[in-house]
Amino acid sequence: MLQAPRGRIHCLANFYWESFHNTSSTRVNNSSFKPLASSYGIEGGYSRRWTRRPMTTKTDGRNMSNQAAKPSNLVRKILDEKVSRSTALNLNKKEEISEHQQLQYYGIKQMIAENKDLVDLVTFIIYDTETSGLSRKDDRIIEIALQDLSGGENSTFQSLVNPGCDVANYRIHGIRTNMVCRPDVPRMEELIPILLRFIKSRQKPGGYILWAAHNCFAFDLPFLINEFSRCSYEIPPNWLFMDTLSLARELMKSGGSKLPSGTSLKALREHYRIPLVGSAHRAMSDVRTLAMILQMLTFDLKLSVPNLVTRSFTASEYVNKKRKKS
């Protein structure tokens, strides 16, 4: 991995460099997640058939299926303190307010921004999608890749996806219809449960997932929301999404003497002299590039982890924001 500067600025680069060895060593010994989806190399070569078989996902020797849904003791403590201080709540009805309602009322982002201890509960997931076309309504995701910035064993996830339709824009990413419309490539409704298990295997107990992609709000997130909705799944409320394109634009406006030539992933990669591994516009190649770019951007902009959280949205916040604009 590209070595980011290691000043004492509390940026994302320092946050992960200081915790990398401890976190990765724990997961190397204890994580037993094995993606079941078709596994393809960056260049698209087929390497494993799509099969269905039982799977268990464990971290720290415990099943994560119930842990992820429960707020941590630290979150409960903070919520209790906030409720006791609040004059806006009816104290007679305090016991009727569920933990889920309290989380919604105070907001995950505000809690993390105001309480440094909660920063340790955030897992950064870099992701990218490739699609059959540009229509959010009619086109489908045909490839998805993820990387947990904390590293360790099983810290990446990648799969082609059978869209059940022709791939019109194959010239962009090189993925043709005959590569994905085949029985050994999982459909999205089959892949989502596996994706959810992978995320739970990387999530810290009682923690939150911060998803980051380049041009996320205009492209990747709308496609992801539509796919989940089409397959009758809800995006978990503890998933936050941020767009690194806004960080690139912020850097361009900073007026420094050494700025990238543009805000595209390619311009940023060339600016930071990050070597291209694999083919551009393939999901895992772009994910690995963005993982390094994000750490450099946060260093240059002197952004802390809470700074990034305040720039994020939950899926429901994103949808509501779009509805208001329309």
Side-chain angles (χ1 to χ4, degrees):
M1 182 180 289
L2 181 71
Q3 290 193 358
R6 300 191 64 185
R8 293 312 304 164
I9 301 170
H10 292 110
C11 60
L12 183 63
N14 287 326
F15 176 73
Y16 275 103
W17 273 107
E18 291 174 2
S19 62
F20 176 81
H21 294 291
N22 181 52
T23 306
S24 61
S25 63
T26 300
R27 286 176 175 156
V28 165
N29 293 331
N30 296 309
S31 177
S32 61
F33 176 81
K34 294 183 180 180
L36 302 185
S38 303
S39 177
Y40 288 77
I42 292 177
E43 298 297 333
Y46 175 74
S47 63
R48 182 182 298 179
R49 289 186 59 83
W50 162 247
T51 57
R52 295 185 181 91
R53 59 182 182 274
M55 177 184 70
T56 59
T57 301
K58 296 182 180 180
T59 302
D60 295 332
R62 293 165 291 182
N63 193 296
M64 289 290 292
S65 59
N66 295 324
Q67 286 183 0
K70 298 180 181 180
S72 65
N73 292 332
L74 178 59
V75 173
R76 290 195 184 95
K77 180 179 179 181
I78 292 170
L79 288 172
D80 290 342
E81 291 175 354
K82 284 182 176 289
V83 170
S84 65
R85 292 198 304 264
S86 175
T87 58
L89 292 175
N90 185 339
L91 297 180
N92 294 328
K93 296 182 178 180
K94 176 181 175 182
E95 294 181 355
E96 299 176 6
I97 300 175
S98 68
E99 289 179 343
H100 178 67
Q101 288 173 319
Q102 291 179 44
L103 283 170
Q104 287 185 323
Y105 186 85
Y106 291 109
I108 294 173
K109 293 185 295 183
Q110 182 179 352
M111 289 169 56
I112 296 175
E114 292 179 354
N115 298 275
K116 294 181 179 180
D117 290 337
L118 292 181
V119 170
D120 293 334
L121 297 180
V122 178
T123 299
F124 279 85
I125 298 290
I126 308 299
Y127 78 107
D128 185 64
T129 59
E130 304 299 336
T131 63
S132 61
L134 300 178
S135 172
R136 303 173 187 174
K137 179 181 178 181
D138 300 321
D139 286 303
R140 300 285 183 260
I141 291 176
I142 61 172
E143 185 179 37
I144 185 168
L146 292 74
Q147 179 181 348
D148 181 351
L149 271 188
S150 59
E153 187 179 19
N154 297 327
S155 60
T156 61
F157 180 101
Q158 178 188 19
S159 178
L160 290 178
V161 185
N162 187 339
C165 64
D166 290 337
V167 180
N169 62 342
Y170 65 88
R171 291 182 180 87
I172 295 177
H173 39 60
I175 303 174
R176 295 178 178 271
T177 303
N178 61 4
M179 293 174 61
V180 289
C181 290
R182 43 193 289 180
D184 54 7
V185 176
R187 292 181 177 273
M188 184 57 76
E189 56 266 29
E190 298 170 313
L191 190 61
I192 288 178
I194 301 170
L195 176 65
L196 291 171
R197 291 194 181 191
F198 170 76
I199 294 298
K200 285 184 179 180
S201 76
R202 307 304 301 180
Q203 180 178 324
K204 298 160 188 174
Y208 311 98
I209 306 296
L210 180 54
W211 295 66
H214 204 65
N215 201 25
C216 161
F217 294 150
F219 189 81
D220 299 274
L221 181 54
F223 270 97
L224 196 65
I225 290 174
N226 287 345
E227 291 283 18
F228 267 66
S229 176
R230 184 176 62 84
C231 299
S232 301
Y233 282 90
E234 291 186 359
I235 292 181
N238 65 333
W239 287 10
L240 306 173
F241 297 86
M242 64 165 288
D243 195 334
T244 55
L245 180 59
S246 62
L247 301 184
R249 289 170 176 167
E250 192 174 336
L251 180 64
M252 293 292 287
K253 293 178 181 179
S254 64
S257 58
K258 295 182 179 180
L259 295 174
S261 60
T263 57
S264 68
L265 203 63
K266 179 182 178 182
L268 293 169
R269 176 177 59 80
E270 292 175 347
H271 172 69
Y272 289 119
R273 300 180 181 179
I274 298 170
L276 177 64
V277 179
S279 302
H281 298 297
R282 287 301 300 267
M284 184 53 75
S285 178
D286 287 352
V287 161
R288 295 190 186 281
T289 297
L290 185 59
M292 292 183 279
I293 287 175
L294 176 57
Q295 296 178 72
M296 303 301 285
L297 281 173
T298 57
F299 182 85
D300 286 346
L301 293 171
K302 299 178 175 60
L303 297 176
S304 64
V305 175
N307 291 150
L308 297 178
V309 171
T310 57
R311 287 167 164 78
S312 66
F313 295 91
T314 63
S316 60
E317 285 176 330
Y318 171 83
V319 171
N320 292 335
K321 187 177 179 181
K322 285 295 182 182
R323 286 175 181 171
K324 289 180 180 178
K325 286 185 176 181
S326 60

